Amino acid sequence: MLPGLIALMLQAAANGPIPPPPEPPPLHGASVSMTCPVGGEPFSAWRVSHYSTFGARPDGKPYSYMPFPFPLPECPGNTLLVFGTFSPAEIERLTPVVASQDYQRLRGVETPYYRAAWLATAIGRPESEALGLLLTATWEAKDEPGGDPGRARRYQAAFAKRVAAMPDTGEAKDRGWLQARAANTFRELGDFRAAEAMRQRAIATFRGMTDPAGWDGFLVGLGPAIARGDATSEPLDLLPKSEAAMRCAGEPDHLSAFDRGVCATPAIADMVATFRKNEAERHQAAQKTTM
């Protein structure tokens, strides 16, 4: 079953164990009682209650005071990751899959969302759902403390390859956002020819749609980063303006010539000036309270 995917995942052992995710802020979620869909084991898992985001990285990871991605509930006994609500038919399919050696050998080796993507594929969930989980796994791998760059690139390569293999049929919105993220993924991997080809494919997918949900702007902005051969994960011109302005204000001596040009654009420069003014006022207020 799934020979190509299983073979890819068996390469994981060389990358070392996965560290546990950081604890989320306590005011935005709580531990809730759950029942494992396979086997009925009772357990507790943290679940989010509310949060805010402030735009996203080019790979889709939101900027927030919350640590993204949110932890997936995991059954303690059989290690099933509860990434959604399962139908009776899916639970029947999950039972042998979760107990299989192919799944159990991923424990402590692959990240939770990568294992969830594997499960979603194994039980026949839509490819767009499995790829969404796999994209989220790339955030885990890229941002884990002391993470292995090889694991992150392997996840990214798997995501981009699977999106490229999707047929140009089915729901356009599902294909379009995946193609847009895959174009960025190819860019981060340094395959700029594939990145531009995927960007054009995504543009064609969204063309004529009445509600592109901002993806058209993202794809236009992605073009220059690809053209200049920028493989960094957070080019300033692809970030939300407020995030870019904070970086311009925070570490100006470490910016490239291109980044300094972005920081000098009127919209960003105005935000930087406001940040610095507010910081100066806070510093003055703090000095007064200590006198």
Side-chain angles (χ1 to χ4, degrees), residues 64-244:
S64 176
Y65 50 80
M66 296 287 283
F68 275 81
F70 299 139
L72 288 171
E74 182 171 348
C75 302
N78 59 26
T79 70
L80 167 65
L81 288 157
V82 186
F83 59 87
T85 300
F86 305 120
S87 68
E90 288 177 327
I91 292 173
E92 186 175 349
R93 290 195 292 272
L94 274 169
T95 300
V97 169
V98 171
S100 70
Q101 290 185 355
D102 291 329
Y103 177 67
Q104 289 299 320
R105 65 167 52 100
L106 304 179
R107 295 176 57 183
V109 176
E110 303 290 8
T111 69
Y113 276 89
Y114 194 80
R115 289 186 286 138
W118 189 94
L119 287 171
T121 301
I123 66 173
R125 282 285 178 96
E127 179 72 345
S128 59
E129 181 178 353
L131 287 170
L133 292 165
L134 183 55
L135 176 64
T136 306
T138 69
W139 309 345
E140 291 178 310
K142 288 162 68 174
D143 298 340
E144 63 186 2
D148 181 351
R151 176 185 286 118
R153 292 182 68 82
R154 178 166 57 84
Y155 286 13
Q156 289 178 295
F159 170 75
K161 182 177 180 180
R162 286 176 65 173
V163 174
M166 292 180 71
D168 290 327
T169 57
E171 183 62 42
K173 285 185 178 181
D174 287 343
R175 288 186 286 111
W177 78 264
L178 286 167
Q179 290 165 353
R181 293 303 184 201
N184 179 72
T185 301
F186 277 124
R187 179 190 65 81
E188 291 191 27
L189 290 170
D191 190 342
F192 302 110
R193 180 177 296 181
E196 180 58 21
M198 185 61 72
R199 188 180 78 92
Q200 293 298 331
R201 188 175 170 187
I203 290 172
T205 298
F206 282 113
R207 186 176 294 124
M209 288 179 56
T210 57
D211 182 22
W215 288 107
D216 48 352
F218 174 80
L219 290 165
V220 168
L222 189 61
I226 294 172
R228 67 175 181 267
D230 189 338
T232 59
S233 62
E234 297 176 279
L236 285 188
D237 57 336
L238 288 181
L239 303 188
K241 285 185 171 57
S242 59
E243 183 69 24

Side-chain angles (χ1 to χ4, degrees), residues 47-72:
R47 305 297 279 164
V48 66
S49 59
H50 64 278
Y51 61 93
S52 298
T53 61
F54 317 105
R57 288 190 322 204
D59 66 0
K61 181 177 178 178
Y63 290 110
S64 176
Y65 50 80
M66 296 287 283
F68 275 81
F70 299 139
L72 288 171

